[in-house]
Amino acid sequence: MERLFYPKVVAVIGASPQEGKVGNTIMKNLRNFSGTVYAVNPKYREILGFPCYPSVLKIPENVDLAIIVVPAKLVPKAVEECGRKDVEGAVVISAGFKEAGIEGAKLERELVEVAERYGVKLVGPNCLGMINTEIAMNATFSRVAPEKGRIAFLSQSGAFILAVLEWSKRNGVGFSKVVSLGNKAMLDESDFLEYLAKDDSTDVILIYMEGVEDGRKFMRVAKSVARRKPVVVMKAGKSQSGAKAASSHTGSLAGSYEAYRAAFRQSGVIEASSVEELFDFALLLLKYRKAGNLAILTNSGGPGVMAADACDQFGVPLANFNFETIRKLKEFLPAESNFYNPVDILGDASAERFSRSLQILSEDENVDIVLTILTPTAQMDFLKAAESVVGKNAVCCFMGGESVDESERILRSSGIPNFFDPVRAVRAISVLGRYSKISAKERVKEDLDVSVEREKAEEIIEKLLESGGRVVGAEGLPVLEAYGIEVAPYGIARNVDEARDIAESIGYPVVLKVVSPDVVHKSDVGGVKLNVGENDLEKAFFEILSNVEGRMPKARIEGVLVQKMVDGGKELIVGMKRDPQFGPMIMFGMGGVYVEVLKDVSFRIAPITRREAHEMVREVKAYRILRGLRGEKPADIDAIADLLLRVSKLSLDHPEVLEMDLNPVKVFESGYAVVDFRMVLGEEV
Amino acid sequence: MERLFYPKVVAVIGASPQEGKVGNTIMKNLRNFSGTVYAVNPKYREILGFPCYPSVLKIPENVDLAIIVVPAKLVPKAVEECGRKDVEGAVVISAGFKEAGIEGAKLERELVEVAERYGVKLVGPNCLGMINTEIAMNATFSRVAPEKGRIAFLSQSGAFILAVLEWSKRNGVGFSKVVSLGNKAMLDESDFLEYLAKDDSTDVILIYMEGVEDGRKFMRVAKSVARRKPVVVMKAGKSQSGAKAASSHTGSLAGSYEAYRAAFRQSGVIEASSVEELFDFALLLLKYRKAGNLAILTNSGGPGVMAADACDQFGVPLANFNFETIRKLKEFLPAESNFYNPVDILGDASAERFSRSLQILSEDENVDIVLTILTPTAQMDFLKAAESVVGKNAVCCFMGGESVDESERILRSSGIPNFFDPVRAVRAISVLGRYSKISAKERVKEDLDVSVEREKAEEIIEKLLESGGRVVGAEGLPVLEAYGIEVAPYGIARNVDEARDIAESIGYPVVLKVVSPDVVHKSDVGGVKLNVGENDLEKAFFEILSNVEGRMPKARIEGVLVQKMVDGGKELIVGMKRDPQFGPMIMFGMGGVYVEVLKDVSFRIAPITRREAHEMVREVKAYRILRGLRGEKPADIDAIADLLLRVSKLSLDHPEVLEMDLNPVKVFESGYAVVDFRMVLGEEV
């Protein structure tokens, strides 16, 4: 990829001398490029002073990168010529491919075939281009070029890049690399992410994402990158209305947002919920990596209180000062000051009082970052204040308009973020806590292994599929058993004698449930009898049969499940569904009301580690119930984690299992038992 | 108050010719004032060209308003002279009162006494002053004067006003009135709110609040104002850390944030969670009042999707267009456009394509507001686009930097808000939905009345207090009964014969519970027996006595509660605690885990209406459980509402009841029964 980002020679195929044309704007933008630029256009010999050739093949030296802006139907040929010329990469700006319908999609496939055949790396098509500020390469049609900086920005929306570049210019934010991903026919966010991880001029990676095609590739790459460099994503298409709009826009199939959230979380990607947050987070992460305890220093009580409130809201810890710190502050601050966190040095504070206080707070080893909040009082000299902030671990709220401008430039030039709103400042700071958890995660050999009988499960699933099963209930329990998952003792009886034999071997009382591929809500048709004793067995057995036959005369009854009656314990639900982008997604929650009413569940993409399985359990709000309320003994969390690992493994090993519901699972002080089960079999989507 | 806000003659007591002094800055700020200004200072005959007198008494004409900046100890005398001169109001800027400690608090009381004696209306002390842009009166020491506008701003922090004024100047936001509330020794936010409701030059009222002293007064006033004009509050001191900082700052006792939230909600006050939100909301509410369906119109898919996501997140409904609208759009938009909401007119859209689309969307009666999102493409002429937006019901996201500046001025001059971030724009728009619900609330004669036996309850409470009861359990049940609250049938037995008589009259099985002022956790000491039948009564009775005597030998045992065993039903908790600012606050939740683990409760300040009682029930997440899951019959919500009304009335009628816990209350398909009860009696705080 190095030649793609650091080309020595660039050719613009479809360059134009005509004002307003994309092929013209790009030529203009490349005027500052530190390398050599050639135009390609059969109609001209020279464009904007650059030599022009009828074909890339005619260029008298090696070409590293081609920017292609010719009409869509001419693009495959242009790329083929690039291939023959051994051009490393082609940025296809031209539109008219997948996003334009069936014909375009065909053309795009053709384009990819050509590129693959010749080993040309393809960016786009249907994109804005790419930028590398280090070599002054602006190979886009943006009217604005960004400043140099240490943020890399990948975006699935070209127009959004236009907006961001203008905004960043205004706000003094710089970039190392900018890539417009376009249709991602060949190179996608994961490929660039992998490259940027090793790019010395990039410290923070931002992504605007509508969807990824290969979710598992993204997770694999992101997981290794995020530990070293922060990756912040703004995901669009989260809601149903948003997802609809996204897919009509890029033709990319948006996976469910829950899957994205789980994937981001598992791979250490930080999600921003708005454009402002995306860049606020970036500015913080450019300057600081370590999270920690915040000291608030203010000349105005009100905004100090706002910040303290926000610390509570966003989980930013407030530092507890050393006695020594407080003693030093008391030496020179007015008696009415507040010496504790937030430190209020009062409205009549001078810049000198401010800088002495800041110095003292910075020296306290319990303080990691000082949030300095200053309002524009007559006594405050913002310039002096800014100078004293430089070199400190600080984030600023210099709250004002004109009087702050000059000092803001000073802060900006040393990378210290400045906000007007204390709440926004604290929200931005909160990203440091999130990132430090990600970077601190040791790369342990992760414990995924559980011993299972994979072939046995395979055979059972095949048989179930052969017998036409799609929605499978109790008949599928052996699959769980093959994976070492504990199932409440059971048997399937085809007649009352078998039922009695089973009941006797597992012990009374038992539960009877009809086994039928046609009956989904077994209780609703009288297909379930709880707490059946020895004397009631026969009656219960026949009642079930007659109930189901009476209410669903066409249902195929395959037998009656005789299951040990499981008393006590707490109800859990464990489930799996396959996400088109990310594959099997495991769900955990407490059963009944917690899932149905409170939606109190956690998700992870398989495979999960034992640590992640424990996280899933701790993450639900009802976790405290599992831990045991009022002196109650805790439930067996280790056993639940083990169950989740086995479900994860089963999902990965057997793509024919499309969905699973272990519901309920009863968990006890020791162990658990699956009480009811349902899975959907079929071809993997 | 009219003379306070619209004085013809203003005197500055403590005026000074000396640069940098507050008394000098104020004189300078008053140079543009449309009325007459006098300086008061015994040392000068003239200051900055204004005539100067040794005392306000010497001014040769009537004075409407005095601005006082003399040292604190001289302020009472200055106010007295104002009183003798029949000055309507005095803005005391001087600090050194309640905020400065005990001596200052004494001085403040003296100040209030003088002001009350002479009928002088007092603003402050310890404030920044006040502003009325309509008469160009800037009676503050802010270096920046705001533009004229239709926002009134009340702030408990003077320094925050300084910051806001500078910021507003930069962002073209204007104000009608600005009041720095200071210590609120006499006039508080409620008084100003009442005035501003009738002020023709004010459309939106913003308050920065740390705490209110008289919460009930605030609610009463806010309730009547908010229906007519939006009131938006930024509350600081929400968290424990924040509240600590707030009280050390202003000396005002912060009530619990839950009480504020309930109060804001009940009185129709909109809460903003950050400074940005405060002003974003204000800008939206200045321009629009009606909430409704949003159309998103964009030249860039990505930001359009972000906005659609945000609509989902912030509950802003997306409009469904008429067929006619889509037909008209299809007539001229490129085929690849998206014709549904969000409408994407593509990156090559011109201002003309944009304005035609906007016109069509505006004509659709299903569309109330159009959010127009434009990125800075080469084809987009922002100026023309802005011109076409003027006159439409629109909110803009013109996303860019320099290229947007000029068009932003056009939008601003017609009051159309413009944001860079689509998510922030939608969040701002969401305030319209909130406000339209507030303004739409009909002022019905509210149903508060429940018939109760107030005197009877009074007597019981008195007796309980006389017998030294502070924490009262079953002995307090008659108080509930006097208020028509249903209690599970019970009696208190002093011996086993009485227990038997009671049990026989209410019917077996029963529950036995020890009655003792010293035993709080009755179960923990073996003081409770459930499901006691006729044969077990005696044994259970004596077991309780011996258990309690064994484990808490010093506990005074006053008897044993014999209560009907209540089977089935759903557990609720109803509670009351008194907030120092707002008075009795009623709590509702589902019992057990829902309260303890999930904190799923709702609060209201008493008195509550029947409608509010229903709201309280519907507000908890567990409401769906009460409504009945899976075909289950719903619980008797009307009965719960009635219970809440009675608890509300009881709380207001009997200030000696400091706290109550009705926990659990069992609710059935019809009716409910209080099963356990605890109240704390004492002097009202």
Side-chain angles (χ1 to χ4, degrees):
Chain A
M1 237 12 140
E2 195 69 15
R3 265 176 83 200
L4 195 74
F5 276 104
Y6 289 89
K8 291 197 175 59
V9 180
V10 172
V12 179
I13 305 178
S16 168
Q18 206 179 316
E19 193 71 34
K21 282 220 161 192
V22 171
N24 181 263
T25 311
I26 290 175
M27 290 308 287
K28 282 186 189 155
N29 285 345
L30 282 170
R31 279 197 284 213
N32 294 323
F33 175 45
S34 63
T36 309
V37 178
Y38 290 98
V40 175
N41 189 328
K43 285 192 259 173
Y44 307 93
R45 304 301 306 269
E46 174 267 311
I47 291 173
L48 292 172
F50 294 107
C52 185
Y53 293 89
S55 151
V56 72
L57 290 169
K58 303 285 184 193
I59 292 173
E61 61 173 319
N62 285 336
V63 174
D64 301 301
L65 180 67
I67 315 297
I68 302 180
V69 292
V70 295
K73 61 180 192 309
L74 303 178
V75 172
K77 182 163 171 286
V79 170
E80 187 182 344
E81 289 177 1
C82 289
R84 286 164 57 198
K85 175 85 183 166
D86 192 30
V87 174
E88 169 84 0
V91 178
V92 181
I93 288 175
S94 323
F97 293 90
K98 196 172 70 178
E99 83 286 358
I102 296 169
E103 280 305 307
K106 223 177 102 186
L107 199 58
E108 188 164 315
R109 279 196 300 276
E110 192 187 320
L111 171 61
V112 172
E113 265 164 41
V114 173
E116 278 173 352
R117 195 176 334 133
Y118 287 94
V120 176
K121 294 196 174 72
L122 217 59
V123 181
N126 182 30
C127 77
L128 183 81
M130 56 190 285
I131 294 173
N132 179 356
T133 56
E134 236 190 320
I135 54 170
M137 177 180 77
N138 177 6
T140 72
F141 57 89
S142 163
R143 287 180 290 196
V144 176
E147 303 290 331
K148 238 187 206 182
R150 303 193 60 79
I151 300 174
F153 180 38
L154 307 175
S155 172
Q156 209 171 335
S157 161
F160 183 46
I161 294 179
L162 293 177
V164 164
L165 293 185
E166 278 208 11
W167 170 89
S168 67
K169 195 100 180 171
R170 158 74 45 92
N171 290 276
V173 173
F175 292 92
S176 55
K177 315 273 188 294
V178 178
V179 181
S180 172
L181 298 168
N183 290 1
K184 304 189 283 185
M186 185 187 273
L187 294 176
D188 63 15
E189 50 282 305
S190 307
D191 302 309
F192 292 112
L193 208 50
E194 207 161 12
Y195 173 79
L196 292 168
K198 287 170 268 167
D199 178 31
D200 286 337
S201 55
T202 295
D203 286 339
V204 174
I205 304 166
L206 305 186
I207 308 179
Y208 166 71
M209 178 187 284
E210 289 171 4
V212 294
E213 281 67 34
D214 186 344
R216 303 186 79 83
K217 174 181 167 195
F218 177 76
M219 284 182 75
R220 195 177 55 243
V221 173
K223 203 175 271 187
S224 89
V225 176
R227 258 180 259 257
R228 284 174 283 163
K229 285 181 192 179
V231 179
V232 188
V233 168
M234 160 116 196
K235 166 82 175 80
K238 297 188 275 197
S239 60
Q240 280 214 305
S241 27
K244 216 171 70 187
S247 65
S248 72
H249 169 234
T250 62
S252 79
L253 187 61
S256 91
Y257 179 50
E258 283 300 348
Y260 279 96
R261 282 192 61 189
F264 292 154
R265 183 173 181 143
Q266 279 172 271
S267 46
V269 168
I270 293 167
E271 201 185 346
S273 65
S274 67
V275 179
E276 286 182 347
E277 215 174 70
L278 184 68
F279 286 94
D280 287 355
F281 285 177
L283 293 183
L284 261 293
L285 290 165
L286 276 181
K287 181 77 182 166
Y288 305 110
R289 284 293 159 83
K290 203 186 136 195
N293 299 318
L294 194 70
I296 300 173
L297 174 62
T298 180
N299 72 344
S300 167
V305 178
M306 294 177 199
D309 283 345
C311 283
D312 199 67
Q313 188 189 344
F314 297 108
V316 174
L318 282 170
N320 287 312
F321 303 146
N322 278 335
F323 287 126
E324 186 59 13
T325 300
I326 294 161
R327 194 191 56 71
K328 282 191 205 153
L329 289 173
K330 285 196 170 167
E331 264 175 22
F332 73 99
L333 288 178
E336 304 83 44
S337 308
N338 192 28
F339 303 99
Y340 304 89
N341 208 354
V343 175
D344 183 355
I345 57 173
L346 305 183
D348 64 345
S350 62
E352 204 259 325
R353 191 192 288 171
F354 166 75
S355 68
R356 270 181 83 175
S357 309
L358 175 60
Q359 181 63 39
I360 291 166
L361 292 177
S362 301
E363 284 165 6
D364 190 321
E365 76 266 16
N366 301 316
V367 173
D368 295 299
I369 291 181
V370 185
L371 174 63
T372 61
I373 305 175
L374 294 180
T375 50
T377 59
Q379 292 81 0
M380 184 47 60
D381 181 331
F382 276 117
L383 267 183
K384 281 192 190 160
E387 278 157 12
S388 72
V389 168
V390 171
K392 303 283 191 308
N393 283 347
V395 173
C396 292
C397 275
F398 284 8
M399 301 177 75
E402 242 170 55
S403 68
V404 174
D405 286 349
E406 193 54 33
S407 56
E408 197 165 39
R409 266 187 288 275
I410 293 175
L411 297 174
R412 195 180 279 171
S413 66
S414 53
I416 294 173
N418 185 44
F419 298 91
F420 176 73
D421 183 347
V423 178
R424 183 167 167 185
V426 171
R427 191 183 63 178
I429 290 169
S430 73
V431 79
L432 300 179
R434 282 161 75 177
Y435 187 66
S436 67
K437 273 190 208 117
I438 292 161
S439 57
K441 246 186 197 166
E442 343 78 86
R443 196 149 194 182
V444 287
K445 172 79 194 91
E446 293 184 332
D447 181 6
L448 294 168
D449 262 15
V450 283
S451 75
V452 301
E453 294 174 89
R454 181 175 176 161
E455 275 97 55
K456 193 171 159 190
E458 192 82 54
E459 276 170 36
I460 304 165
I461 292 168
E462 264 169 36
K463 266 188 210 141
L464 287 166
L465 277 168
E466 274 164 25
S467 70
R470 239 195 78 77
V471 180
V472 176
E475 321 90 279
L477 286 169
V479 176
L480 298 186
E481 289 172 296
Y483 269 71
I485 293 169
E486 303 291 337
V487 174
Y490 74 100
I492 298 179
R494 277 158 305 170
N495 55 55
V496 72
D497 292 332
E498 282 184 16
R500 191 179 312 283
D501 290 347
I502 295 166
E504 265 157 26
S505 80
I506 62 181
Y508 290 101
V510 295
V511 179
L512 302 185
K513 294 177 193 167
V514 66
V515 178
S516 165
D518 304 315
V519 180
V520 177
H521 299 289
K522 296 187 279 278
S523 302
D524 295 355
V525 294
V528 178
K529 295 279 170 188
L530 299 174
N531 215 2
V532 178
E534 192 167 356
N535 302 328
D536 319 323
L537 186 80
E538 195 169 322
K539 185 164 163 271
F541 187 91
F542 290 113
E543 264 184 27
I544 283 187
L545 296 186
S546 79
N547 282 345
V548 176
E549 277 162 8
R551 297 192 207 164
M552 292 184 72
K554 289 186 183 160
R556 290 161 296 170
I557 296 177
E558 301 188 339
V560 171
L561 174 75
V562 182
Q563 191 179 43
K564 177 90 183 161
M565 175 81 192
V566 178
D567 260 332
K570 285 170 181 138
E571 280 196 10
L572 308 178
I573 175 168
V574 172
M576 185 277 290
K577 69 168 264 206
R578 268 171 215 280
D579 180 81
Q581 275 75 38
F582 292 96
M585 178 159 65
I586 313 297
M587 186 185 86
F588 168 78
M590 281 197 71
V593 165
Y594 298 97
V595 170
E596 286 172 43
V597 178
L598 304 170
K599 319 269 183 237
D600 181 22
V601 289
S602 56
F603 293 100
R604 289 291 183 285
I605 307 294
I608 55 171
T609 63
R610 207 167 281 274
R611 183 170 61 191
E612 284 171 331
H614 274 98
E615 270 175 21
M616 283 183 79
V617 178
R618 278 199 305 269
E619 205 172 295
V620 297
K621 293 196 197 74
Y623 171 61
R624 268 188 55 198
I625 300 169
L626 290 174
R627 242 177 29 192
L629 294 173
R630 279 167 281 174
E632 202 186 32
K633 288 263 164 64
D636 192 341
I637 312 275
D638 288 337
I640 304 174
D642 189 73
L643 165 62
L644 291 168
L645 280 180
R646 288 171 193 276
V647 169
S648 159
K649 188 158 176 56
L650 200 167
S651 314
L652 287 171
D653 289 349
H654 305 282
E656 312 82 10
V657 181
L658 302 183
E659 280 180 50
M660 282 192 277
D661 261 333
L662 289 66
N663 179 23
V665 176
K666 292 267 202 156
V667 63
F668 313 100
E669 266 175 58
S670 171
Y672 67 88
V674 175
V675 173
D676 216 340
F677 177 57
R678 184 182 150 277
M679 67 177 169
V680 181
L681 299 177
E683 292 288 304
E684 196 179 3
V685 277
Chain B
M1 250 330 172
E2 196 68 15
R3 265 177 82 202
L4 194 71
F5 275 103
Y6 290 88
K8 289 194 177 62
V9 180
V10 173
V12 180
I13 304 179
S16 166
Q18 205 179 316
E19 191 73 30
K21 284 219 158 194
V22 171
N24 181 265
T25 311
I26 290 174
M27 291 306 289
K28 282 184 189 159
N29 285 344
L30 284 170
R31 279 195 283 215
N32 294 324
F33 176 46
S34 63
T36 310
V37 178
Y38 290 99
V40 175
N41 187 329
K43 287 192 259 174
Y44 307 94
R45 304 301 308 271
E46 175 267 312
I47 291 176
L48 292 172
F50 293 108
C52 184
Y53 292 90
S55 151
V56 73
L57 291 167
K58 303 286 183 190
I59 293 172
E61 61 174 318
N62 284 338
V63 174
D64 301 301
L65 180 66
I67 315 296
I68 301 180
V69 291
V70 296
K73 61 181 194 303
L74 303 178
V75 172
K77 182 163 172 282
V79 170
E80 186 181 347
E81 289 179 1
C82 288
R84 285 164 58 199
K85 177 83 182 168
D86 193 29
V87 175
E88 169 83 359
V91 178
V92 182
I93 287 174
S94 322
F97 292 89
K98 196 173 68 178
E99 83 285 0
I102 298 169
E103 279 306 305
K106 224 178 101 184
L107 198 61
E108 187 163 315
R109 280 194 299 275
E110 192 186 323
L111 171 62
V112 172
E113 266 165 39
V114 173
E116 278 174 350
R117 196 178 330 136
Y118 288 96
V120 177
K121 293 195 176 70
L122 217 58
V123 181
N126 181 31
C127 77
L128 182 83
M130 55 191 287
I131 295 172
N132 179 355
T133 55
E134 236 190 321
I135 54 170
M137 177 179 78
N138 176 7
T140 73
F141 57 90
S142 163
R143 287 180 289 195
V144 176
E147 304 290 331
K148 238 187 205 182
R150 303 191 61 78
I151 299 175
F153 180 37
L154 308 175
S155 173
Q156 208 170 335
S157 161
F160 184 47
I161 294 179
L162 293 177
V164 163
L165 292 185
E166 276 207 12
W167 170 89
S168 67
K169 196 98 180 177
R170 158 73 47 92
N171 291 277
V173 173
F175 292 91
S176 56
K177 315 272 189 293
V178 178
V179 182
S180 171
L181 298 168
N183 290 1
K184 304 189 283 187
M186 186 187 272
L187 294 176
D188 63 16
E189 50 282 305
S190 308
D191 302 309
F192 291 112
L193 207 51
E194 205 160 15
Y195 174 79
L196 292 168
K198 287 170 268 165
D199 178 32
D200 286 337
S201 56
T202 296
D203 285 338
V204 174
I205 302 167
L206 304 187
I207 308 180
Y208 166 71
M209 177 187 284
E210 288 170 5
V212 295
E213 282 67 34
D214 186 345
R216 303 186 80 81
K217 175 180 167 195
F218 176 76
M219 286 181 74
R220 196 176 55 244
V221 173
K223 204 175 269 185
S224 90
V225 176
R227 259 181 260 257
R228 284 175 284 162
K229 285 182 193 178
V231 179
V232 187
V233 168
M234 160 115 195
K235 166 81 176 80
K238 296 188 275 197
S239 59
Q240 278 213 305
S241 28
K244 216 172 69 187
S247 64
S248 72
H249 171 235
T250 62
S252 79
L253 187 62
S256 90
Y257 178 50
E258 283 299 350
Y260 279 96
R261 283 192 61 188
F264 292 155
R265 180 171 186 145
Q266 280 172 272
S267 47
V269 168
I270 293 168
E271 202 186 345
S273 64
S274 67
V275 178
E276 287 181 347
E277 213 174 73
L278 184 69
F279 286 94
D280 287 355
F281 285 176
L283 293 183
L284 262 293
L285 290 164
L286 276 180
K287 180 75 182 170
Y288 304 113
R289 285 295 159 81
K290 203 183 136 197
N293 301 317
L294 194 70
I296 299 173
L297 174 61
T298 180
N299 72 343
S300 167
V305 177
M306 295 177 199
D309 282 344
C311 284
D312 198 67
Q313 188 188 344
F314 297 108
V316 174
L318 282 170
N320 287 312
F321 304 146
N322 278 335
F323 288 125
E324 184 61 10
T325 299
I326 293 161
R327 195 190 55 69
K328 282 191 203 154
L329 289 174
K330 285 196 170 167
E331 265 174 21
F332 72 100
L333 287 179
E336 305 81 46
S337 308
N338 193 28
F339 303 99
Y340 303 89
N341 211 353
V343 175
D344 182 356
I345 57 173
L346 305 183
D348 64 344
S350 62
E352 204 257 325
R353 191 193 288 169
F354 167 76
S355 68
R356 269 182 84 176
S357 308
L358 176 61
Q359 181 63 37
I360 291 166
L361 292 177
S362 303
E363 283 165 5
D364 189 321
E365 76 266 16
N366 301 316
V367 173
D368 294 299
I369 291 181
V370 184
L371 175 63
T372 62
I373 305 176
L374 294 180
T375 49
T377 59
Q379 292 81 3
M380 184 47 61
D381 181 332
F382 277 117
L383 267 183
K384 279 193 191 157
E387 278 157 12
S388 72
V389 169
V390 171
K392 304 285 190 307
N393 284 346
V395 173
C396 292
C397 276
F398 284 9
M399 300 177 76
E402 240 171 54
S403 69
V404 174
D405 286 351
E406 192 56 34
S407 56
E408 196 167 40
R409 267 186 286 277
I410 294 176
L411 297 174
R412 195 182 278 170
S413 67
S414 53
I416 294 174
N418 185 42
F419 298 90
F420 175 73
D421 184 348
V423 178
R424 183 166 167 184
V426 171
R427 191 182 63 179
I429 291 169
S430 73
V431 78
L432 300 179
R434 282 162 74 175
Y435 187 66
S436 69
K437 274 192 207 115
I438 292 163
S439 58
K441 246 185 196 167
E442 345 76 270
R443 199 148 191 179
V444 289
K445 171 81 193 89
E446 293 183 333
D447 180 5
L448 293 168
D449 263 13
V450 284
S451 77
V452 300
E453 294 174 87
R454 179 175 177 157
E455 274 98 54
K456 192 169 160 194
E458 192 83 52
E459 274 170 38
I460 303 164
I461 292 168
E462 263 169 38
K463 266 188 209 141
L464 286 167
L465 276 169
E466 275 165 25
S467 69
R470 239 193 77 78
V471 180
V472 176
E475 322 90 278
L477 286 170
V479 176
L480 297 186
E481 291 173 295
Y483 269 72
I485 292 168
E486 302 292 337
V487 174
Y490 75 99
I492 296 177
R494 277 158 305 170
N495 55 53
V496 72
D497 291 331
E498 282 184 17
R500 192 179 312 281
D501 289 347
I502 295 165
E504 264 157 26
S505 80
I506 63 183
Y508 289 99
V510 294
V511 178
L512 302 186
K513 294 178 194 165
V514 67
V515 178
S516 164
D518 303 314
V519 181
V520 178
H521 299 288
K522 296 187 279 278
S523 301
D524 295 355
V525 295
V528 178
K529 295 279 170 186
L530 300 174
N531 213 3
V532 178
E534 194 167 355
N535 303 328
D536 319 322
L537 186 79
E538 196 168 319
K539 187 164 162 270
F541 187 91
F542 288 113
E543 265 184 26
I544 283 187
L545 295 186
S546 79
N547 282 346
V548 176
E549 277 163 8
R551 297 191 207 166
M552 293 184 71
K554 290 187 180 160
R556 292 161 292 172
I557 297 178
E558 299 188 341
V560 171
L561 175 74
V562 181
Q563 192 180 39
K564 178 91 183 161
M565 177 81 192
V566 179
D567 260 329
K570 286 175 180 130
E571 281 197 8
L572 309 177
I573 175 165
V574 173
M576 184 277 288
K577 69 168 265 205
R578 270 171 213 280
D579 179 82
Q581 275 76 39
F582 293 97
M585 175 158 67
I586 312 297
M587 186 185 85
F588 168 78
M590 280 196 73
V593 165
Y594 299 97
V595 170
E596 286 172 45
V597 178
L598 304 170
K599 318 270 181 237
D600 182 22
V601 290
S602 57
F603 293 98
R604 289 292 185 282
I605 308 293
I608 55 171
T609 62
R610 206 168 281 275
R611 182 169 62 189
E612 284 170 331
H614 274 98
E615 270 175 20
M616 284 183 79
V617 178
R618 277 199 307 268
E619 205 172 294
V620 297
K621 293 195 197 75
Y623 171 61
R624 269 190 53 200
I625 301 169
L626 290 174
R627 241 177 31 190
L629 294 174
R630 280 166 281 174
E632 203 187 33
K633 289 262 167 61
D636 191 341
I637 312 274
D638 287 339
I640 304 174
D642 189 74
L643 165 62
L644 290 168
L645 280 180
R646 288 173 192 276
V647 169
S648 160
K649 189 159 174 59
L650 199 167
S651 314
L652 287 172
D653 289 350
H654 304 284
E656 311 83 7
V657 180
L658 303 183
E659 281 178 51
M660 282 192 278
D661 260 334
L662 290 66
N663 180 24
V665 177
K666 293 268 203 158
V667 64
F668 312 101
E669 267 176 59
S670 171
Y672 67 87
V674 175
V675 173
D676 216 340
F677 178 56
R678 185 182 150 276
M679 70 177 166
V680 181
L681 299 177
E683 293 288 305
E684 196 178 5
V685 277

